[in-house]
């Protein structure tokens, strides 16, 4: 079977023709820093988040947050993350997984204590509510140059995002337009050969273990990027669980992810 056409292209060439400024920035950063690694910083204290971010920054194209787990959150944390994103050259992805009607998600995205739209370049949404969630989030995020990805699949065992559900998620993205919906959380290339240039961003990546005992399922960067054709690997605990090896682990995943990408280009050249 012929490889998916997107997997034969460099990140740089994809950046050059992308209509969304956040996707462009992400793809340009990936090429410039030679990394398809997104680190998921799932710790609960602001100082620890900032410490991990500073340590992994040289090796990442993107930093992913769950801002609602932060116990000492103030908006200063968000402002500092945004400042670091510019200084240390990465994109911010708040993994908020919005899942309500359009009017509510617009408020959740723009308002409350977190004001996510004001500092997070990228966020994501479930498609359970239907396309209204995309327009609701777009009302707050589009004017800011942000981007949205849809959960077409998940990494956890027994999840319901498969088959027709996944296909409907992809169809919703097509209808929304690439200037706002730039891709998916998915485990493989869920888009078709003639689709616009969607990003496939993939959690459940680990080099040392296959699971976490709570339903998470890990695959290696090679399986994810080379075999499944995904674009960005998300790694959390694999990088920060050993507090003394955060930078070293980030480097290890960056190298593994980039090698898998280079091998994928060679295979399809
Ligand atoms: P881990 O420590 O590498 O297992 O962290 C994975 C992160 O990705 C964590 O923040 C999850 O909330 C997130 N995630 C996921 O693991 N699987 C999914 O399908 C989605 C998000 Br969507």
């Amino acid at each position: 079977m012929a490889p998916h056409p997107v997997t034969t292209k460099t990140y740089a060439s994809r950046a050059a023709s992308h209509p969304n400024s956040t996707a462009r920035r992400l793809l340009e950063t990936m090429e410039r820093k030679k990394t398809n690694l997104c680190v998921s910083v799932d710790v609960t204290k602001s100082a620890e988040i900032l410490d991990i971010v500073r340590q992994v920054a040289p090796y990442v194209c993107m930093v992913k947050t769950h801002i609602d787990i932060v116990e000492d959150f103030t908006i200063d944390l968000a402002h500092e993350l945004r400042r670091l994103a510019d200084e240390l050259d990465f994109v911010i992805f708040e993994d908020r997984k919005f899942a309500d009607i359009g009017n509510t998600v617009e408020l959740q995205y723009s308002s409350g204590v977190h004001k996510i739209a004001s500092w997070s370049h990228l966020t994501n949404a479930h498609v359970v509510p239907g396309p209204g969630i995309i327009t609701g989030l777009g009302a707050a995020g589009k004017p800011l140059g942000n981007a949205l990805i849809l959960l077409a699949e998940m990494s956890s065992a027994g999840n319901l995002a498969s088959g027709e559900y996944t296909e409907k998620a992809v169809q919703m993205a097509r209808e929304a337009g690439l200037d706002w919906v730039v891709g998916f959380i998915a485990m493989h290339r869920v888009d078709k050969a003639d689709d616009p240039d969607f990003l496939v961003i993939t959690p459940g990546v680990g080099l040392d273990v296959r699971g976490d005992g709570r339903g998470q399922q890990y695959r290696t960067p090679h399986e994810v990027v080379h075999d499944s054709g995904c674009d960005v690997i998300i790694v959390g605990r694999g990088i920060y669980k050993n507090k003394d090896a955060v930078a070293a682990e980030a480097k290890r995943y960056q190298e593994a992810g980039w090698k898998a990408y280079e091998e994928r280009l060679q295979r399809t050249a």
Side-chain angles (χ1 to χ4, degrees):
M1 205 176 78
H4 191 289
V6 158
T7 66
T8 69
K9 293 187 186 148
T10 63
Y11 295 136
S13 70
R14 295 170 62 184
S17 58
H18 208 291
N20 176 278
S21 59
T22 290
R24 217 160 41 234
R25 173 171 171 170
L26 177 62
L27 287 160
E28 282 166 1
T29 307
M30 292 165 78
E31 189 73 38
R32 189 170 50 249
K33 294 174 78 176
K34 297 204 180 317
T35 176
N36 46 30
L37 172 64
C38 168
V39 172
S40 181
V41 196
D42 300 336
V43 295
T44 57
K45 295 285 191 298
S46 298
E48 199 183 347
I49 293 174
L50 294 172
D51 177 46
I52 293 171
V53 167
R54 287 195 192 93
Q55 291 193 64
V56 303
Y59 311 106
V60 303
C61 57
M62 189 154 68
V63 163
K64 184 172 89 59
T65 54
H66 281 299
I67 208 65
D68 58 351
I69 68 174
V70 181
E71 290 173 350
D72 57 356
F73 176 84
T74 69
I75 202 68
D76 293 346
L77 170 64
H79 292 157
E80 181 61 5
L81 281 171
R82 183 74 175 213
R83 200 189 62 71
L84 286 174
D86 288 336
E87 183 191 320
L88 304 176
D89 198 13
F90 58 83
V91 170
I92 305 173
F93 169 22
E94 163 58 24
D95 187 2
R96 175 62 179 74
K97 299 188 185 72
F98 291 99
D100 212 321
I101 61 166
N103 185 63
T104 302
V105 294
E106 179 182 348
L107 293 167
Q108 290 173 321
Y109 185 33
S110 61
S111 306
V113 287
H114 294 128
K115 303 190 188 342
I116 294 165
S118 72
W119 52 269
S120 177
H121 305 101
L122 180 67
T123 194
N124 55 357
H126 287 288
V127 293
V128 170
I133 193 168
I134 298 174
T135 31
L137 292 168
K142 255 185 163 181
L144 299 171
N146 293 349
L148 180 69
I149 58 175
L150 304 178
L151 281 90
E153 294 181 322
M154 291 190 73
S155 64
S156 43
N159 78 78
L160 305 180
S162 60
E164 195 188 336
Y165 183 92
T166 300
E167 278 171 33
K168 285 195 166 159
V170 177
Q171 187 54 29
M172 271 190 225
R174 288 182 189 117
E175 283 161 15
L178 198 62
D179 59 335
W180 173 231
V181 175
V182 300
F184 308 98
I185 293 284
M187 303 299 117
H188 71 293
R189 288 231 71 95
V190 290
D191 48 350
K192 295 271 183 299
D194 57 353
D195 269 327
D197 188 344
F198 289 124
L199 289 160
V200 175
I201 299 181
T202 309
V205 180
L207 281 163
D208 304 318
V209 287
R210 298 303 276 183
D212 68 351
R214 295 187 193 174
Q216 178 67 295
Q217 305 176 110
Y218 292 115
R219 295 180 299 158
T220 64
H222 192 269
E223 289 172 299
V224 170
V225 174
H226 181 275
D227 301 349
S228 299
C230 306
D231 297 311
V232 176
I233 55 171
I234 296 174
V235 185
R237 286 163 287 179
I239 283 173
Y240 64 78
K241 69 176 177 304
N242 178 354
K243 303 260 176 296
D244 298 323
V246 172
E249 288 295 335
K251 184 166 188 285
R252 185 160 76 111
Y253 279 93
Q254 177 257 320
E255 287 173 355
W258 197 255
K259 185 162 176 275
Y261 163 68
E262 286 188 323
E263 286 172 6
R264 149 174 137 185
L265 286 178
Q266 275 160 23
R267 179 198 60 192
T268 53

